[in-house]
Amino acid sequence: MILPGSTIGVLGSGQLGRMFAIAARRMGYRVHTFSPDQDTPTGQIADEEIIASYDDLDAVRNFARNVSVVTFEFENVSSAAVEAASEFAPVRPGGHVLHTAQHRLREKTFLANHGFPVAPFKRVASLDDLLAALNEIGCPAVLKTAGFGYDGKGQSKITSPDQAQEALNALGNQEAILEAFINFEREVSVVAARSIDGAFVHYGAVANEHRNHILDITVAPAPIPSRINQEAIEITRGVLETLDVVGVMCVEFFLTPQGKLLINETAPRPHNSGHFSFDACVTSQFEQQLRAVCGLPLGSTELLRPAAMANLLGDLWQDGEPNWAAACAFPNVKVHLYGKLAPRKGRKMGHLTALATTAEDAEQYVREARAALIKHF
Ligand code: AMP
């Protein structure tokens, strides 16, 4: 067991690491963060911010030498870096989890081979592959890069085979995956955690709304029948067990109009759709990650009050600094800002969480509070 007072190493330095570091600091741990950037969201909270490339394996070894366990908040780290770290400290979740989750094609193949429900998909390495895949899967379909994609980056929707060449060019002719386009009724996700001894806890299914492929609003709990909620939880449990995850993992699903769940993707770390847990649950997803990777018993995931989360993207800064006082005027709304210096369009700068007696009210408050941010007086 890695006890308070020990040092935790975090690969990556964004908002997920920041909120992890806040949870770890609260419990008396020290935190070192490793990334190529400086004055980062995680570095502002951590005891030490190590600035080096993920490919600098000696720097990774040095980092791991000074911590009791290495975890991550950014999963697109190479296997070589994970192996270098694991020479000196346990890496949790393990490299095999990263290897699977960071590459769409490996992830989908793994899920399908183990009987988990996914949308029909095909590997695409050439125009001929793509035309054959479109013939089999049909249109509309979505072409995605096989590796290193997130928030809809490296994706294009194909509505007719004439667009095949153009779609391949847009992805830079990299290895890709073609998926059937799912006309979903809604998107839901389950954030869950698993400990070293196999204990499993989950936060239940939450409903997610995306805008421009980026998460916009999460509502907890999801307004779905309890049978579907249970099914989403059981699929998530299966994925964490099959992958032998130690830590936190999020499984994102499409829910079809026929009531069928299909996994869209998995993330082997705390997830944007679990941010509500920071304010609304007995144990947040970040503290849960800490407990899991330190070998401590997992905490209760109980939802204290229905909640809704709204992301704050850099776009909100378009006409100047948002009106923070206006959001704080909503007494049940919490403001989270990640300390990022440049508010670029589409960049996740922070989020709001609203708590209420019903999930519908929470969603309404969080939308109103976010709208109030851009009213300048
Ligand atoms: P991803 O980066 O794969 O998670 O995709 C981001 C978002 O794009 C998803 O949350 C969906 O809203 C949308 N999307 C991705 N794949 C599909 C698909 N096969 N069918 C319909 N919508 C999709």
Side-chain angles (χ1 to χ4, degrees):
M1 231 184 271
I2 298 162
L3 295 173
S6 309
T7 304
I8 317 292
V10 180
L11 284 169
S13 61
Q15 63 269 18
L16 302 175
R18 180 185 184 89
M19 290 181 269
F20 173 84
I22 290 171
R25 292 279 234 157
R26 191 170 70 173
M27 281 180 66
Y29 287 89
R30 290 178 174 274
V31 177
H32 291 186
T33 172
F34 183 109
S35 84
D37 306 312
Q38 66 175 333
D39 194 10
T40 59
T42 311
Q44 291 163 10
I45 308 292
D47 296 82
E48 274 204 48
E49 180 175 59
I50 292 126
I51 303 159
S53 155
Y54 296 115
D55 299 326
D56 182 346
L57 300 186
D58 284 332
V60 172
R61 286 189 187 96
N62 257 336
F63 159 75
R65 208 177 262 128
N66 294 310
V67 301
S68 298
V69 59
V70 171
T71 187
F72 48 84
E73 65 104 66
F74 170 76
E75 71 263 37
N76 292 334
V77 181
S78 71
S79 299
V82 171
E83 270 162 40
S86 56
E87 288 170 26
F88 296 95
V91 179
R92 294 178 182 146
H96 66 286
V97 180
L98 245 87
H99 186 70
T100 306
Q102 72 187 188
H103 190 271
R104 288 187 208 278
L105 189 58
R106 275 201 291 272
E107 178 186 51
K108 286 264 156 64
T109 306
F110 166 85
L111 292 169
N113 287 348
H114 287 85
F116 294 108
V118 291
F121 70 93
K122 283 270 159 201
R123 175 176 182 265
V124 170
S126 65
L127 181 60
D128 283 349
D129 285 353
L130 178 53
L131 292 170
L134 282 168
N135 195 29
E136 195 177 320
I137 288 175
C139 283
V142 185
L143 187 70
K144 303 179 178 181
T145 50
F148 291 82
Y150 64 97
D151 285 347
K153 293 193 178 94
Q155 292 198 14
S156 59
K157 188 171 166 184
I158 301 180
T159 51
S160 126
D162 321 339
Q163 299 163 344
Q165 184 66 63
E166 196 187 323
L168 271 182
N169 293 347
L171 259 53
N173 293 298
Q174 303 171 58
E175 184 188 26
I177 169 173
L178 185 79
E179 283 176 23
F181 180 83
I182 305 300
N183 219 341
F184 52 78
E185 186 165 287
R186 64 167 77 245
E187 293 186 82
V188 300
S189 60
V190 176
V191 172
R194 191 164 169 273
S195 65
I196 296 171
D197 59 10
F200 172 84
V201 296
H202 63 81
Y203 292 86
V206 298
N208 299 321
E209 210 181 289
H210 292 78
R211 203 196 277 176
N212 299 327
H213 297 279
I214 302 174
L215 183 64
D216 186 42
I217 301 273
T218 295
V219 175
I224 54 173
S226 68
R227 178 190 68 75
I228 294 173
N229 180 41
Q230 270 315 316
E231 200 181 318
I233 293 164
E234 288 316 315
I235 293 171
T236 302
R237 182 201 303 272
V239 173
L240 270 75
E241 284 176 358
T242 310
L243 269 173
D244 192 19
V245 172
V246 173
V248 168
M249 179 173 247
C250 175
V251 180
E252 291 183 81
F253 299 90
F254 298 132
L255 176 60
T256 71
Q258 295 74 35
K260 194 168 160 39
L261 287 163
L262 299 171
I263 298 180
N264 173 32
E265 60 177 0
T266 65
R269 47 163 170 78
H271 189 259
N272 198 168
S273 66
H275 287 1
F276 72 93
S277 65
F278 211 139
D279 299 304
C281 296
V282 173
T283 311
S284 74
Q285 61 170 349
F286 305 102
E287 182 179 330
Q288 211 69 271
Q289 180 185 15
L290 176 74
R291 287 172 177 243
V293 304
C294 288
L296 291 170
L298 300 178
S300 162
T301 55
E302 187 189 345
L303 182 66
L304 299 169
R305 297 185 76 187
M309 186 271 335
N311 267 339
L312 305 179
L313 301 186
D315 314 46
L316 276 175
W317 274 250
Q318 203 171 308
D319 297 317
E321 189 69 17
N323 187 346
W324 302 119
C328 292
F330 289 75
N332 295 328
V333 168
K334 311 297 273 184
V335 178
H336 294 255
L337 289 168
Y338 307 147
K340 294 186 185 176
L341 308 175
R344 286 193 296 276
K345 204 169 176 313
R347 190 174 196 204
K348 291 175 181 171
M349 301 296 290
H351 69 269
L352 302 178
T353 306
L355 305 175
T357 45
T358 67
E360 290 85 356
D361 285 352
E363 181 178 349
Q364 190 185 331
Y365 293 147
V366 91
R367 286 184 187 277
E368 286 173 7
R370 186 170 62 180
L373 285 175
I374 49 173
K375 283 193 198 122
H376 294 277
F377 299 100

